[in-house]
């Protein structure tokens, strides 16, 4: 019998994608023996409406550039292509339908986002077919006790090298004329400068 596929989904705004995201995805792939990791840049992120987010096509392009060197990484335009706002539930449901019962789905997230998961739309339905891999991130402590019992069973913690890299810091640096080299792939850095991203105040 064919072994079940184990598929990681890495969701994010990726504005821009950086080494924190890539290290986390690769650590999850290795640790949890994932067949592949699908990066899914968000469409209209519900929690980031307070600042203008770079158009989906450009975030998608940067995500593609950042992942070409890893044979296990793929990028999905699923959320970017949808005109309406996507909730993680909708996205995971779409992948669940696509891969069927023969695949196990793992949503990879930073530990800073784990406590928010409980507030997600249709979380009870989501955890019926999806597990979570939560990467520890500097400055955030994950208090397992704060998770609901049912969710705690579905969340696996994973330590990743402490990378204090964030997209907001990178955007800030670009605006200030500070270097961003070595914080993200060189191709993404070149894309940012070539297209004049992050020059204006947010
Ligand atoms: P912003 O600063 O704009 O919030 P971000 O760097 O947090 O951006 P997102 O696109 O919001 O990037 O994050 C996508 C996912 O990656 C989230 O689950 C987040 O917790 C995780 N993540 C982001 N940066 C890191 C990092 N340095 N180490 C581990 N996980 C990270
Ligand atoms: Mg964030």
């Amino acid at each position: 019998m064919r072994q079940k596929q184990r598929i990681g989904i890495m969701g994010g705004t990726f504005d821009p994608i950086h080494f924190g995201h890539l290290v986390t995805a690769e650590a999850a792939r290795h640790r949890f023996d994932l067949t592949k990791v699908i990066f899914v840049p968000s469409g209209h992120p519900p929690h980031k409406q307070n600042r203008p987010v770079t158009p989906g096509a450009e975030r998608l392009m940067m995500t593609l550039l950042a992942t070409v060197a890893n044979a296990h990484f793929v990028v999905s335009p699923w959320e970017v292509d949808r005109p309406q706002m996507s909730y993680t539930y909708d996205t995971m449901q779409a992948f669940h339908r696509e891969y069927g019962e023969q695949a196990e789905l793992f949503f990879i997230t930073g530990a800073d986002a784990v406590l928010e998961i409980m507030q997600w739309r249709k979380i009870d339905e989501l955890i019926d077919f999806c597990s979570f891999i939560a990467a520890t991130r500097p400055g955030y402590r994950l208090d397992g006790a704060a998770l609901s019992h049912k969710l705690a069973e579905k969340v696996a913690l994973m330590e990743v090298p402490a990378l204090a890299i964030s997209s907001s810091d990178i955007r800030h640096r670009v605006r200030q004329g500070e270097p961003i080299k070595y914080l993200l792939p060189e191709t993404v850095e070149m894309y940012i400068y070539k297209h004049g991203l992050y020059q204006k105040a947010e």
Side-chain angles (χ1 to χ4, degrees), residues 13 21 47-48 112 137 140 166-168:
T13 318
H21 301 129
H47 58 291
K48 291 206 172 152
D112 56 309
R137 193 180 182 186
Y140 298 94
S166 71
S167 302
S168 19

Side-chain angles (χ1 to χ4, degrees), residues 22-53:
L22 294 164
V23 156
T24 300
E26 178 64 1
R29 184 193 70 73
H30 178 74
R31 196 84 48 87
F32 295 89
D33 197 22
L34 305 178
T35 322
K36 62 178 166 185
V37 177
I38 307 174
F39 286 72
V40 189
S42 60
H44 300 269
H47 58 291
K48 291 206 172 152
Q49 280 160 349
N50 52 339
R51 71 165 182 93
V53 171

